[in-house]
Amino acid sequence: MKELFVSIVIPVFNERDSLEPLMARINHVLKEMKVNYEVLFVDDGSTDGSFEVLCKLRERNPGVGIIQLRRNFGKSAALSAGFWAAQAPVIVTMDADLQDRPEEIPKLLAKLEEGYDMVLGWRKNRRDKIFKRWSSKVFNSVVSALSGVKLHDMNTGLKAMRREVAQELTLYGELHRFLPVLAQWEGFKVTEVEVKHSPRIYGRSKYGIGKLIRSALDFLTVLLHTRYSRRPLHFFGGIGLAIGSAGIGICLYLLSLRLLYGSILHRYPLLIGGVMLAIVGMQMISIGLLGEMIIRERRPIIPPIRKTFPPNQNAFAKPSQRQP
Ligand code: UDP
Ligand code: MG
């Protein structure tokens, strides 16, 4: 029996009609590559019968695994459940909606072989609505500028990576959008290759304005996770020192007025402002110190999994007892 080479992780939220054709195309491509593979579908609380379709797929395809989350937790949680269950040294992620083409997988794997840790499928010619294409352009350039990670398509669903990358990074919220940024900041080598992209045929996109706003907030988290992940005190402490010194400066100024003229000359609003700034500054510094304590305790977060098919012994083991 040849060793397992690649785990394909596919988050699924109400994608009933795409699953059969997707599986057929994956089988075709990977059989041609002559490698051993598993396909892990993570059912992220689908309500359209996707899970039943997956169970049928599993009957016919021995390499299929299903992870069912208790409810809809979002793509990041789904991916992280898949990463945790993946057994192969290489992990490929792709969307279930047939927009990412399984035919591009060999190209990504070839690039990975060149010595990269993560390869993104850059959808140069994206087949999505204009609003999404533009918001994505803005997103990519802002993230690229602020994070210093120079890539065209951070949020592509189609990615290949070594398992260490997937297992090292903790995904929740909308953080999957920043996987390449997080990976590069962890010191992994990240690159991209151009891939073809297809329009959505079945089902509906779950992308909306709400997600855009949540991603913007998550970007703050990413900055904290990357630039300041190992030194929260520098971030909060820096802000705290600036604010606090301003507050103390104001208080000293008022004190000198009091000493020179016997009163603060009706500068009471300034007094309130000064005291507030001093307090806020001290609080920021305390938050930074708390952050320093928390990072010592940091552990990967695994989303709540109801069951895995086949049953995974790791699922119910304490983190310290899990097999690598
Ligand atoms: N998805 C998921 N959970 C969610 C939303 C989406 O697992 O809460 C999956 C979805 O089934 C698809 C992938 O994530 O496989 C990308 O979703 P979608 O195509 O809706 O996003 P878009 O490509 O429109 O940005
Ligand atoms: Mg899509």
Side-chain angles (χ1 to χ4, degrees), residues 11 13 15 44 72 74-75 95-97 99 132 200 205-206:
F13 180 46
E15 307 281 5
D44 184 18
N72 178 241
K75 188 173 171 184
D95 289 354
D97 54 7
Q99 291 199 265
K132 189 143 134 202
R200 196 183 244 282
S205 167
K206 287 99 205 165

Side-chain angles (χ1 to χ4, degrees), residues 197-228:
H197 190 234
S198 307
R200 196 183 244 282
I201 311 169
Y202 306 108
R204 277 179 349 141
S205 167
K206 287 99 205 165
Y207 183 88
I209 190 82
K211 283 211 173 142
L212 203 66
I213 295 169
R214 285 199 291 278
S215 318
L217 286 177
D218 276 343
F219 186 57
L220 283 180
T221 313
V222 169
L223 281 183
L224 270 178
H225 270 272
T226 52
R227 283 185 191 274
Y228 297 102

Side-chain angles (χ1 to χ4, degrees), residues 168-320:
E168 190 127 324
L169 304 175
T170 310
L171 294 186
Y172 56 89
E174 294 287 314
L175 284 187
H176 63 272
R177 291 176 201 283
F178 305 103
L179 250 179
V181 178
L182 295 168
Q184 185 153 322
W185 273 88
E186 282 300 316
F188 293 113
K189 285 204 311 187
V190 183
T191 188
E192 59 191 1
V193 291
E194 280 177 34
V195 295
K196 285 208 197 96
H197 190 234
S198 307
R200 196 183 244 282
I201 311 169
Y202 306 108
R204 277 179 349 141
S205 167
K206 287 99 205 165
Y207 183 88
I209 190 82
K211 283 211 173 142
L212 203 66
I213 295 169
R214 285 199 291 278
S215 318
L217 286 177
D218 276 343
F219 186 57
L220 283 180
T221 313
V222 169
L223 281 183
L224 270 178
H225 270 272
T226 52
R227 283 185 191 274
Y228 297 102
S229 67
R230 282 167 188 81
R231 43 192 181 115
L233 190 55
H234 290 190
F235 182 75
F236 292 106
I239 300 175
L241 272 183
I243 295 178
S245 342
I248 290 172
I250 290 171
C251 291
L252 286 177
Y253 165 67
L254 293 174
L255 181 67
S256 67
L257 288 186
R258 174 75 221 267
L259 293 175
L260 288 174
Y261 305 105
S263 95
I264 63 168
L265 310 176
H266 298 291
R267 292 199 168 80
Y268 291 103
L270 192 62
L271 177 64
I272 296 174
V275 171
M276 291 254 283
L277 287 179
I279 294 177
V280 170
M282 274 189 283
Q283 281 185 331
M284 287 297 252
I285 295 174
S286 316
I287 292 174
L289 286 170
L290 270 180
E292 296 283 335
M293 288 155 95
I294 290 170
I295 55 168
R296 286 165 165 271
E297 299 293 326
R298 221 173 34 185
R299 291 203 186 90
I301 301 165
I302 294 160
I305 291 166
R306 180 181 285 153
K307 274 183 204 149
T308 67
F309 309 86
N312 184 326
Q313 291 91 342
N314 266 351
F316 308 104
K318 292 208 181 76
S320 57

Side-chain angles (χ1 to χ4, degrees), residues 102-113:
E103 292 73 22
E104 305 281 1
I105 292 175
K107 211 196 269 180
L108 269 79
L109 294 179
K111 194 81 189 168
L112 203 66
E113 296 271 285

